[in-house]
Amino acid sequence: MNNTLKYGIMFIGLVLLQALILNNIQFLGFINPYFYIYFILLLPSSVNRDLTLLLGFLLGLSLDVFCGSLGCHTFATTLVAYLKPYFQKVFGPREDYDVVIPSFRSFGVKEFLQYATILVFVHQFVYFFVEAFTFADILQVLMKAFCCSIFTILLIYIAEKLTYKR
Amino acid sequence: MRSLIRFLLKFKTLFFFIILEVLSLVMIVNCNQFQRVHFLSSSNIVVGSLYNFTSKISDYVSLGSVNQALVEESAELKRQNANLRSQIDRLRYDSTYTVRNDFATEKHFMFRTARVVHSFANLKDNYLTIDKGTSDGIRTGMGVVNEKGVVGIVCDVSGHFSIVMPILNSRAKINAKVASKSNVGTIMWNGHDARYAKLKEVPQYIPVEIGDTIKSSSNSAVFPEDIMIGTVTHIERLNNDFYSIDVKLSVDFRNIKYVDIIEFRLDDEMTELERKEETK
């Protein structure tokens, strides 16, 4: 119950942070960090895959309601929620723990950053691709995704550093 | 049957995933831009009031720059006022001047100020939400400007909010011209950089140089003539007949706090109002 509450607050907090503050950064006209995806990255391995999918879907949908881009965030976030358990297996600790909460400590700094980078880039590429909805601007989409991912990963790195307890 | 169920259960996560993705694709394809934007802040009380709240907070932070803009605008207005005053003085002593009776064709524009509740500049089709709606007399199709120049056109209105389609939208088509020339073409956004737009298919007989100003043209009832849009930064020769011009927009769409909505009032509307006033 305690955990549910914690993740619930995190969900709402990240959606509000994204919608009200981060979406207004618009550095150089188009670069925004899409930090809210951090919620999916942090879900513990004990959460089953269907629930992860559902949470991803709801997370994207809440963002879409704020952004007016109905469907775009939802599509990208659901995809990340689907891929997340696979990448968690690849980059996560090899030993059989009961529950793994992805973090610098449990994964190791390098592994966690690799895990985050891949998922963040997939998320942002798919988001911009679906938003443009055409193959014609593929280079532009790639550039946007690349720039935004760098910012997002930077924020995730800072957030991890702040919560990293030795 | 049993094996089918077993099959479904085995891949239930995959199916769930596919269903959710199809659902979001349906949302993307089915909702056109207007519905999406409408769903967003104007009709949605929760999101609308949240945006309203945060923009009130950020207003305090940006008071300095808003003040600066106001000072600049008032200086400009003072300059215009002085010009007009001297013109009036000249006309007063000019006995040959006759009042031309072209009131009927004269355009009357009225300005209303609104606060930008929420705006986007990083999408392919961007929108602004402003805090004035039908109850304040806003209708779709009205032009929107700020102190720097043309912003866009009102495309959707609810009771207390309106959605503005800025130049930074692939559907926005705003008539523009090279300063002091007649109508030239429509300004289009290139789709990624919020600072630049394109003026396409400019005939080559119109002389254009880098640094020229691009302004709103006279042949629309949406904007008054000669409102700033931007300056020419790059000229490309498309073929023998046309140029394509890059325009640096004068409005900073990433940092836009207040806008003026322009109402174009036809003369008969005004006389009707006056008649009503007389009969009171």
Side-chain angles (χ1 to χ4, degrees):
Chain A
M1 187 57 216
N2 198 8
N3 255 342
T4 317
L5 193 70
K6 193 181 121 197
Y7 279 96
I9 291 172
M10 203 164 101
F11 184 100
I12 295 169
L14 278 175
V15 168
L16 291 183
L17 176 73
Q18 181 66 47
L20 302 179
I21 298 171
L22 297 181
N23 273 353
N24 293 320
I25 291 182
Q26 292 174 13
F27 180 66
L28 292 182
F30 62 91
I31 302 174
N32 267 345
Y34 289 95
F35 182 59
Y36 72 97
I37 198 68
Y38 191 46
F39 178 81
I40 299 293
L41 299 185
L42 283 195
L43 283 179
S45 61
S46 58
V47 177
N48 78 42
R49 300 196 53 190
D50 293 336
L51 185 61
T52 310
L53 274 178
L54 190 67
L55 283 173
F57 184 79
L58 290 179
L59 183 68
L61 193 65
S62 341
L63 249 293
D64 273 333
V65 169
F66 275 98
C67 300
S69 55
L70 217 52
C72 298
H73 282 294
T74 317
F75 190 88
T77 315
T78 312
L79 181 68
V80 169
Y82 182 73
L83 294 176
K84 182 238 170 204
Y86 294 112
F87 284 101
Q88 184 162 3
K89 262 180 212 146
V90 175
F91 293 108
R94 295 278 183 274
E95 297 86 21
D96 281 332
Y97 291 117
D98 291 343
V99 177
V100 178
I101 301 172
S103 68
F104 274 3
R105 194 165 46 160
S106 63
F107 273 42
V109 175
K110 193 181 147 211
E111 280 79 9
F112 185 83
L113 281 180
Q114 283 171 336
Y115 160 80
T117 306
I118 290 174
L119 288 180
V120 163
F121 185 75
V122 166
H123 171 258
Q124 250 115 96
F125 175 72
V126 171
Y127 168 70
F128 284 116
F129 181 69
V130 174
E131 200 250 318
F133 220 79
T134 161
F135 278 101
D137 305 330
I138 194 80
L139 277 177
Q140 222 177 75
V141 167
L142 269 171
M143 197 186 70
K144 274 187 185 179
F146 183 71
C147 296
C148 294
S149 299
I150 290 175
F151 272 66
T152 312
I153 291 157
L154 198 69
L155 273 186
I156 289 176
Y157 181 79
I158 293 168
E160 275 299 313
K161 271 280 174 204
L162 290 178
T163 54
Y164 188 35
K165 295 183 201 87
R166 258 166 280 254
Chain B
M1 191 63 203
R2 191 175 298 160
S3 62
L4 179 70
I5 290 172
R6 203 180 307 135
F7 174 76
L8 285 177
L9 276 179
K10 196 176 166 197
F11 291 102
K12 75 173 171 22
T13 309
L14 183 65
F15 283 122
F16 190 47
F17 167 66
I18 291 170
I19 289 168
L20 290 180
E21 290 293 53
V22 167
L23 209 65
S24 42
L25 272 182
V26 167
M27 280 196 282
I28 294 171
V29 177
N30 266 8
C31 297
N32 66 36
Q33 281 292 341
F34 292 121
Q35 287 167 330
R36 280 191 212 173
V37 174
H38 206 90
F39 185 65
L40 161 72
S41 33
S42 55
S43 59
N44 187 325
I45 225 69
V46 182
V47 176
S49 47
L50 257 174
Y51 275 143
N52 225 340
F53 175 70
T54 50
S55 75
K56 268 178 193 154
I57 294 174
S58 67
D59 276 357
Y60 283 105
V61 182
S62 58
L63 272 182
S65 57
V66 171
N67 263 345
Q68 183 61 36
L70 284 176
V71 167
E72 279 165 17
E73 196 181 5
S74 95
E76 171 67 17
L77 288 175
K78 268 181 205 154
R79 194 186 61 76
Q80 285 180 9
N81 190 14
N83 272 349
L84 290 173
R85 215 175 268 273
S86 67
Q87 271 180 32
I88 291 172
D89 280 346
R90 214 174 40 241
L91 293 176
R92 193 176 287 154
Y93 300 115
D94 187 356
S95 56
T96 57
Y97 180 78
T98 49
V99 179
R100 285 181 305 157
N101 210 356
D102 58 358
F103 227 49
T105 56
E106 210 166 273
K107 290 177 178 179
H108 292 270
F109 290 99
M110 182 178 151
F111 289 70
R112 284 193 191 83
T113 304
R115 202 159 51 88
V116 176
V117 176
H118 190 246
S119 68
F120 276 104
N122 65 333
L123 301 178
K124 199 166 147 245
D125 291 316
N126 297 288
Y127 290 92
L128 281 96
T129 312
I130 55 174
D131 70 343
K132 290 265 160 70
T134 41
S135 60
D136 308 286
I138 310 295
R139 290 191 307 274
T140 52
M142 284 183 177
V144 179
V145 299
N146 74 354
E147 73 280 354
K148 298 270 175 55
V150 171
V151 174
I153 293 171
V154 175
C155 67
D156 196 6
V157 195
S158 71
H160 300 281
F161 293 98
S162 313
I163 306 284
V164 178
M165 187 194 278
I167 298 174
L168 308 187
N169 187 310
S170 57
R171 286 150 208 250
K173 291 192 172 58
I174 289 162
N175 285 328
K177 62 173 192 178
V178 180
S180 78
K181 299 294 180 302
S182 59
N183 184 42
V184 173
T186 50
I187 204 112
M188 310 266 249
W189 190 41
N190 58 14
H192 59 110
D193 196 331
R195 294 168 297 181
Y196 295 94
K198 264 194 158 50
L199 189 59
K200 279 183 181 162
E201 294 186 2
V202 179
Q204 290 222 344
Y205 60 79
I206 293 176
V208 186
E209 274 173 46
I210 288 174
D212 280 356
T213 51
I214 302 292
K215 294 185 165 176
S216 64
S217 76
S218 57
N219 72 344
S220 80
V222 180
F223 296 103
E225 198 176 353
D226 284 336
I227 291 198
M228 188 77 175
I229 292 178
T231 46
V232 176
T233 55
H234 180 75
I235 302 167
E236 194 187 336
R237 224 187 150 106
L238 281 185
N239 49 39
N240 280 336
D241 304 321
F242 293 109
Y243 297 126
S244 165
I245 300 178
D246 282 352
V247 180
K248 186 173 194 315
L249 299 169
S250 57
V251 175
D252 181 6
F253 282 93
R254 290 165 294 167
N255 184 19
I256 191 166
K257 296 288 173 196
Y258 289 91
V259 292
D260 294 316
I261 299 118
I262 304 171
E263 184 181 350
F264 169 55
R265 308 178 121 186
L266 287 167
D267 192 42
D268 50 358
E269 227 170 287
M270 220 169 80
T271 45
E272 199 180 279
L273 200 69
E274 281 168 357
R275 207 188 308 129
K276 227 190 275 174
E277 204 59 37
E278 278 166 18
T279 51
K280 260 185 191 166

